[in-house]
Amino acid sequence: MAEADWAEDRKPTSDEAHSAFTPPPGVDTGAPEEDQPTSEFAVPPGAQPQAAEPERSAFATPSVYSAQHSPPAYTPAHGFPVARLTESPWQDRMRTMLRMPVDVRPVPEPVQRTSESGPAVGRVLDLTLRIGELLLAGGEGAEDVEAAMFAVARSYGLDRCEPTVTFTMLSITHQPSLVDDPVSANRTVRRRGTDYNRLAAVFRLVDDISNPDMDVSLEEAYRRLAEIRRNRHPYPGWMLTCSAGLLAGAASTLVGGGVLVFFAAAIGAVLGDRLAWLCAGRGLPEFYQFVVAAMPPAALGVALNMTGIEVKASAVITGGLFALLPGRALVAAVQDGLTGYYITASARLLEVMYLFIGIIMGVLVVLYVGLQFDASPRPEEVLQIQQRPLIQIAASMVLVFTFAILLQQERSTVLIVTLNGGVAWVTYGALHYAGGIPPVPSTAIAAGLVGLFGQLFSRYRFASALPYVTAAIGPLLPGSATYYGLLLIAENRLNEGLGSLTTAAAVALAIAIGVNLGSEASRLFMRIPGAASAAKRRAAKRTRGF
């Protein structure tokens, strides 16, 4: 009992005896605790509580969600990358967004009007595939084809689209939301043709569709696309044949030929072009067309050599090779490889290899026949190119001019690409002949200028870069090294012949890499949307291997 009284006397009388949550004396405690809300998630006074939602499947679409009125998306802590959709061409805008992950792309603002029920998904995807088909069949790079397809789909209000381009197949997938079924469509490219006039028209259509100041409905886009498909070539057939002859004649003059060689090379190229057209009309594959087209220039060169006239007969065959070498396909193949489209690049390189083998077979057959008739070709004269700067500059510009006509370019671009090709040859001549720099780096530097100027011209006119680049690389093609290697192989000097063909392949790759490097360097002079934020997103770069 005494211990209990002692414990009672030891109880403290200060604030330490009370709980930290007990209100001090004199403070109004307000309403009883049971009358106050006990949870921060409780409905405030005066608010109408919503009816409880019935229990549903976890995979069902939320009742408040619709494709047109979606709830706000989650914004990452670092924010969305800023994409100024009016300060750069659509190629750069769409390429920047394609390199972003799907979940961080800016929310689309449909440029073209759609119905209240939303865009017609099936028709938009079909239009997108048809536009991509024309671009891919015209030789456009895979990345630019994907950018065009993405621009069309986004302009008509389809977000979360993923276009995919291979050498012969295009596909696109649209998923409205994470809980809706995706819609996919694909299209096969079965016919290819070189018509840069049609390519430019498709680029104008995509530019108009992605322009917020122009109203291009789906019906109008389909109508314009049908007109582009039915559009006739800007040059008649006889002009194309004459251009092939002038191209070969100019190329023969470029490597040291005279007047007689010029006309012989032109006649051989015309005959080869007509034979190739005949084979194409019979349905023969393109491989055999190149075999047949390479034979007439080689036959005229061998015949001119057997006459004993003191002319550079090898320039006839070299000029014919300039008209046949697949520089356009090679540039596109290397561009796809450098931008990460390895499947498409491999297929295009394989196509280049087959065409190149076809040219080799056609020339070798004629050379073997000529050797049986005691023809005495002089391999050393092939690489002995007389320096005639003014004549060679004029010949290079004629070569580019005729090449542009063969590519069916618009008349407004022919003069620009001719000047671009002249600058390329002057640069190559100054580096190689005057400066003594080996041919491979000289060719790469000259091709880099071609790619730089071509890309800047295309951005200025909101068009494809191919019409400003492809013809301009014509004077740089390795025609002399190719013929020199073939002539050595025909004389059973295999090691030297393969070495010369390897040099020709190195020059061709230097052209393609230089063009691509020059195109990429042009981005230093242009404002690219999202460039600052892209530096912080290493995983969004397509060409990084990690």
Side-chain angles (χ1 to χ4, degrees), residues 42-62:
V43 180
Q48 297 294 331
Q50 297 181 354
E53 185 176 353
E55 184 176 356
R56 305 173 65 186
S57 171
F59 297 97
T61 305

Side-chain angles (χ1 to χ4, degrees), residues 109-115 119 124 127 151-158 205-218 220-221 224:
E109 298 178 0
V111 174
Q112 302 301 330
R113 300 175 183 176
T114 58
S115 60
V124 172
L127 175 67
V152 174
R154 193 176 178 87
S155 299
Y156 285 106
L158 297 187
L205 174 59
V206 177
D207 184 48
D208 292 342
I209 291 176
S210 57
N211 189 351
D213 297 330
M214 298 190 66
D215 184 14
V216 182
S217 62
L218 278 174
E220 175 67 15
R224 290 180 57 178

Side-chain angles (χ1 to χ4, degrees), residues 186-206:
N186 57 68
R187 195 172 183 87
T188 303
V189 179
R190 302 190 182 277
R191 295 185 60 185
R192 300 178 182 273
T194 304
D195 189 347
Y196 284 176
N197 184 44
R198 177 180 295 176
L199 191 69
V202 176
F203 263 77
R204 283 194 295 268
L205 174 59
V206 177

Side-chain angles (χ1 to χ4, degrees), residues 251-262 264-265 300-302 304-305 309-319 378-388 392 433 480 483:
S252 66
T253 305
L254 193 66
V255 295
V259 178
L260 180 60
V261 171
F262 176 91
L300 285 179
V302 172
L304 193 61
N305 179 268
I309 303 176
E310 291 296 329
V311 294
K312 193 174 182 180
S314 61
V316 178
I317 305 177
T318 303
R378 297 183 295 272
E380 64 279 356
E381 77 171 6
V382 177
L383 302 180
Q384 296 175 357
I385 301 177
Q386 183 181 1
Q387 298 183 25
R388 301 173 296 177
Q392 288 177 322
Y433 296 118
S480 298
Y483 171 62

Side-chain angles (χ1 to χ4, degrees), residues 191 194 233 235-242 244 269-284 288-290 292-293 406 408:
R191 295 185 60 185
T194 304
H233 298 310
Y235 310 104
W238 64 267
M239 184 178 292
L240 298 180
T241 301
C242 293
V270 168
L271 293 176
D273 180 76
R274 287 295 90 191
L275 288 176
W277 275 97
L278 179 62
C279 293
R282 298 290 181 177
L284 289 179
Y288 299 104
Q289 298 175 27
F290 272 78
V292 172
L406 287 175
Q408 303 280 0

Side-chain angles (χ1 to χ4, degrees), residues 207-526:
D207 184 48
D208 292 342
I209 291 176
S210 57
N211 189 351
D213 297 330
M214 298 190 66
D215 184 14
V216 182
S217 62
L218 278 174
E219 290 74 15
E220 175 67 15
Y222 269 106
R223 184 190 63 79
R224 290 180 57 178
L225 192 62
E227 290 180 354
I228 293 173
R229 284 182 174 275
R230 293 193 302 265
N231 186 25
R232 300 185 63 181
H233 298 310
Y235 310 104
W238 64 267
M239 184 178 292
L240 298 180
T241 301
C242 293
S243 297
L246 287 176
L247 191 155
S252 66
T253 305
L254 193 66
V255 295
V259 178
L260 180 60
V261 171
F262 176 91
F263 284 104
I267 293 173
V270 168
L271 293 176
D273 180 76
R274 287 295 90 191
L275 288 176
W277 275 97
L278 179 62
C279 293
R282 298 290 181 177
L284 289 179
E286 196 172 14
F287 174 82
Y288 299 104
Q289 298 175 27
F290 272 78
V291 173
V292 172
M295 287 183 174
L300 285 179
V302 172
L304 193 61
N305 179 268
M306 294 177 63
T307 59
I309 303 176
E310 291 296 329
V311 294
K312 193 174 182 180
S314 61
V316 178
I317 305 177
T318 303
L321 291 177
F322 269 91
L324 295 177
L325 290 177
R328 174 183 60 87
L330 179 65
V331 170
V334 175
Q335 179 182 357
D336 287 343
L338 294 178
T339 53
Y341 295 83
Y342 300 114
I343 297 178
T344 307
S346 301
R348 282 181 164 168
L349 284 176
L350 188 62
E351 179 191 30
V352 171
M353 185 188 71
Y354 272 106
L355 299 181
F356 193 69
I357 292 176
I359 297 172
I360 291 176
M361 288 182 59
V363 175
L364 279 180
V365 167
V366 176
L367 290 180
Y368 275 123
V369 173
L371 290 176
Q372 300 304 317
F373 286 93
D374 297 330
S376 57
R378 297 183 295 272
E380 64 279 356
E381 77 171 6
V382 177
L383 302 180
Q384 296 175 357
I385 301 177
Q386 183 181 1
Q387 298 183 25
R388 301 173 296 177
L390 295 180
I391 295 178
Q392 288 177 322
I393 292 174
S396 66
M397 297 183 70
V398 172
L399 190 155
V400 176
F401 179 82
T402 53
F403 200 179
I405 294 178
L406 287 175
L407 293 175
Q408 303 280 0
Q409 291 190 196
E410 291 182 305
R411 292 180 174 87
S412 60
T413 64
V414 172
L415 179 59
I416 296 176
V417 72
T418 301
L419 296 176
N420 198 10
V423 171
W425 177 255
V426 169
T427 304
Y428 173 79
L431 294 174
H432 180 56
Y433 296 118
I437 300 177
V440 174
S442 301
T443 302
I445 295 173
L449 290 178
V450 170
L452 174 62
F453 294 149
Q455 196 66 233
L456 293 178
F457 282 135
S458 68
R459 289 299 183 264
Y460 174 74
R461 301 190 62 170
F462 289 80
S464 171
L466 289 180
Y468 303 95
V469 170
T470 306
I473 64 173
L476 305 177
L477 293 174
S480 298
T482 303
Y483 171 62
Y484 183 64
L486 296 179
L487 187 56
L488 293 177
I489 292 176
E491 294 182 345
N492 291 327
R493 299 161 62 180
L494 296 180
N495 293 334
E496 299 178 30
L498 292 177
S500 182
L501 290 180
T502 303
T503 302
V507 171
L509 289 177
I511 293 174
I513 295 175
V515 168
N516 184 267
L517 185 61
S519 299
E520 295 298 329
S522 66
R523 303 180 190 279
L524 298 175
F525 306 97
M526 297 184 297

